[in-house]
Amino acid sequence: ERAGIEPPSSPFRALLYHGPGLGHEAGFRTPSVWLAPGTNRLALRVTTQSQADVGIDSLSSVPVMRWTHFALSVRNTTTEDGRPDFSAKVFLDGQIEIDLAITNEIVLGGAGNLHLAHDAWAPGPDGFAQDVRVHDHAMTRLDVLEEMAASPLFTDAARAAAAKLFELPPAPAEGDTKPRRGAGERESGGSAAVDFAPSGDGADEPVGCASPDPTMDRELLAAAEQAESAVERHALLQAAAEDGYPAALQALAGEAADPLEPSAQQLVDQAAAAGNGAALFARAIRPFLAAFKADAGVGESRDTPPLALRELELAALHGSTRAKLALGHVHLRAGRCRAAAFYLSQVAHQAFVEHSTRGQQPTVELQELSDFVNEAAERGEDDEQLQYQMLRAEQGDTDANFGMGGLYYWGLRGLERDQERAFRYFERAARDGHAGAQTACGNMLLKGEGVPDKNRTRALEYYELAAAQDNLEALNGLGFLYFFGDGSLTRNE
């Protein structure tokens, strides 16, 4: 499986090469797969008795900058009457992209080493390879889909789709040491391919093992977060954890006063074994926490220990944004800029998504550092200063209305976020000609915040009013509307 494949370039770039390394124009190559020049289409090549380079190319291309499940299945034998019988299939995300059959001449098995992600004379494409498995038999499409469904690298939706397509057998129950067919020993054969992750004490344990429904896992965690009391929240998490839900296990571990307590570590290890990204990250940083607790620091070395690095990679593969951020800095310090950019770009994208979620944009509240911060600045509607500002706003003070709109929009000073109330305050100030409030109304109408639905026409009107007062944010909003256009608004770059 590979991720982060580069955009197309001119030379052949090998994903897999088997041969003595005599150059692309000579020598055995059964089987080898390259990315074709100038494209990311796959090029499968083999060597027969009469030709050194035989094969076909795929019609579709390998996607860029995301994990892609790649599989090559090869069978080279003869029929009962001695005729050649060669077949090779290339799969991308479980779909057959190349199906090559040669029955008119012998395909030479070739000699030399098996090279992954490069050939013997040139580097492969820029990208990442993870969870590489080699089997001693030709895999069917069902086998490939089973591997994909069991892989920790893919989303729950992708694994579920692969499993549903062929009604794959259920994962083994807890305590059952026999792996699923295709992910470990076959019912007939000796291939073994089980993914292991090192635990904190050096012992190996499988990652991506059977776990409860991930959707239910998230729903139970959300219900716990909305509990009215800490006692109720703990009870909900405890019940979910007893049923083996990894997010609940990790959340319970987070309640511990000391993350290095044995009970907290046990919960983290259980959640990590089930593939929870947050738990895998918590386990990865455990040695660093222990070092700081012992006042020993982590040494002067700029290199992350291999064990911790592998744990971080596993956590990132399971969706931990914090692990991706850590890996980005690790690779940046080591001078591996492309790897750093790969991880940090994912973190930046996640930050953008969270910042752009309607009504949930994060903010940083500046507070005076004193012993009275919590008492004076986080009392919400019980704050005397806010009560006075609300009174001024109700009496028609333009600046007070604008200020209250911002407080309710962002949820500052202990107030709960209230988009509808924020819009009402902004609208009052906007009617009085306040340029900032007019821009705020335009922004909220454009995104559909605090109003029944998006309204670009009204947003345009507010932006124009504020832009007439040289409000820079309003001018930016106008530029956005005219650049993209919408409905009755003609695009005008």
Side-chain angles (χ1 to χ4, degrees):
E1 292 111 14
R2 295 182 58 81
I5 294 291
E6 65 178 351
S9 58
S10 55
F12 278 96
R13 293 143 294 148
L15 297 181
L16 178 145
Y17 169 74
H18 181 219
L22 301 179
H24 182 68
E25 300 302 326
F28 298 110
R29 60 197 59 205
T30 303
S32 299
V33 181
W34 284 272
L35 295 177
T39 175
N40 275 345
R41 291 200 302 271
L42 297 165
L44 170 64
R45 297 293 185 266
V46 299
T47 300
T48 66
Q49 282 185 317
S50 62
Q51 300 181 69
D53 191 76
V54 178
I56 54 177
D57 296 353
S58 67
L59 295 177
S60 57
S61 299
V62 178
V64 299
M65 298 307 293
R66 73 167 178 83
W67 286 110
T68 302
H69 189 275
F70 168 83
L72 170 64
S73 177
V74 177
R75 180 171 56 84
N76 193 9
T77 183
T78 57
T79 62
E80 292 182 358
D81 57 1
R83 289 184 292 107
D85 185 12
F86 174 87
S87 68
K89 293 180 174 65
V90 177
F91 302 83
L92 283 183
D93 288 339
Q95 301 297 320
I96 298 177
E97 294 294 331
I98 296 177
D99 190 351
L100 175 65
I102 300 177
T103 59
N104 59 341
E105 61 177 324
I106 294 176
V107 175
L108 302 178
N113 296 323
L114 179 64
H115 301 264
L116 299 174
H118 63 90
D119 52 34
W121 55 87
D126 287 335
F128 293 84
Q130 183 75 24
D131 196 22
V132 177
R133 307 180 183 201
V134 180
H135 298 269
D136 62 355
H137 55 271
M139 299 180 71
T140 66
R141 189 183 179 205
L142 175 58
D143 294 330
V144 172
L145 286 167
E146 283 184 319
E147 290 263 332
M148 183 177 175
S151 174
L153 307 185
F154 295 91
T155 64
D156 297 329
R159 290 196 293 268
K164 183 178 180 181
L165 185 59
F166 274 80
E167 298 181 353
L168 301 181
E174 186 175 355
D176 183 359
T177 58
K178 183 179 179 181
R180 292 166 39 143
R181 190 166 69 87
E185 283 193 345
R186 292 171 58 89
E187 295 176 0
S188 59
S191 172
V194 180
D195 184 30
F196 285 89
S199 63
D201 58 4
D204 284 339
E205 57 183 305
V207 168
C209 60
S211 62
D213 177 15
T215 301
M216 182 62 72
D217 191 17
R218 290 188 293 268
E219 291 176 355
L220 287 170
L221 186 61
E225 295 300 329
Q226 295 173 4
E228 296 182 357
S229 67
V231 174
E232 182 183 354
R233 177 182 184 274
H234 181 82
L236 288 170
L237 290 176
Q238 187 70 43
E242 289 174 358
D243 288 335
Y245 288 96
L249 290 165
Q250 173 60 21
L252 276 179
E255 291 184 348
D258 183 357
L260 297 178
E261 290 179 2
S263 59
Q265 292 191 40
Q266 183 179 5
L267 290 169
V268 168
D269 289 341
Q270 285 180 261
N276 181 271
L280 285 163
F281 175 76
R283 196 168 67 176
I285 65 173
R286 190 181 291 165
F288 300 95
L289 294 177
F292 279 116
K293 186 177 180 179
D295 198 24
V298 292
E300 298 181 358
S301 173
R302 297 171 63 86
D303 296 329
T304 302
L307 181 62
L309 187 62
R310 185 179 176 189
E311 294 271 15
L312 286 173
E313 288 172 344
L314 281 168
L317 290 171
H318 285 77
S320 171
T321 302
R322 297 172 70 186
K324 293 175 184 177
L325 181 62
L327 283 169
H329 287 294
V330 166
H331 288 299
L332 189 61
R333 289 199 307 270
R336 297 185 289 268
C337 295
R338 291 196 179 198
F342 174 77
Y343 285 112
L344 294 177
S345 64
Q346 294 183 56
V347 176
H349 175 73
Q350 182 64 26
F352 173 78
V353 170
E354 293 180 2
H355 182 81
S356 303
T357 302
R358 190 173 70 181
Q360 298 297 320
Q361 299 91 330
T363 185
V364 177
E365 185 175 5
L366 301 179
Q367 297 180 347
E368 180 183 354
L369 295 179
S370 73
D371 294 335
F372 307 99
V373 168
N374 290 335
E375 179 181 353
E378 296 296 330
R379 295 171 57 194
E381 295 184 356
D382 293 330
D383 188 326
E384 291 83 356
Q385 293 180 357
L386 287 185
Q387 291 175 358
Y388 177 66
Q389 183 161 315
M390 288 180 191
L391 177 62
R392 289 174 52 210
E394 293 300 326
Q395 293 174 345
D397 185 285
T398 302
D399 289 334
N401 273 300
F402 176 67
M404 290 305 304
L407 290 173
Y408 276 111
Y409 182 87
W410 295 108
L412 303 177
R413 297 289 293 271
L415 294 174
E416 293 290 332
R417 274 189 164 178
D418 190 332
Q419 305 292 320
E420 293 184 6
R421 200 166 183 178
F423 185 80
R424 289 199 298 271
Y425 278 116
F426 282 141
E427 195 171 34
R428 291 176 191 171
R431 286 198 295 264
D432 292 337
H434 193 290
Q438 290 167 345
T439 302
C441 285
N443 291 340
M444 295 183 74
L445 287 163
L446 190 63
K447 292 182 283 188
E449 296 175 335
V451 293
D453 202 359
K454 297 179 181 180
N455 192 325
R456 293 197 174 217
T457 301
R458 288 187 63 199
L460 178 64
E461 293 172 356
Y462 276 117
Y463 282 149
E464 288 177 338
L465 289 172
Q469 302 181 59
D470 295 328
N471 183 278
L472 297 180
E473 190 176 353
L475 290 166
N476 180 72
L478 284 174
F480 175 87
L481 286 173
Y482 281 116
F483 182 84
F484 291 100
D486 181 69
S488 59
L489 184 63
T490 304
R491 182 175 180 178
N492 186 346
E493 297 183 15

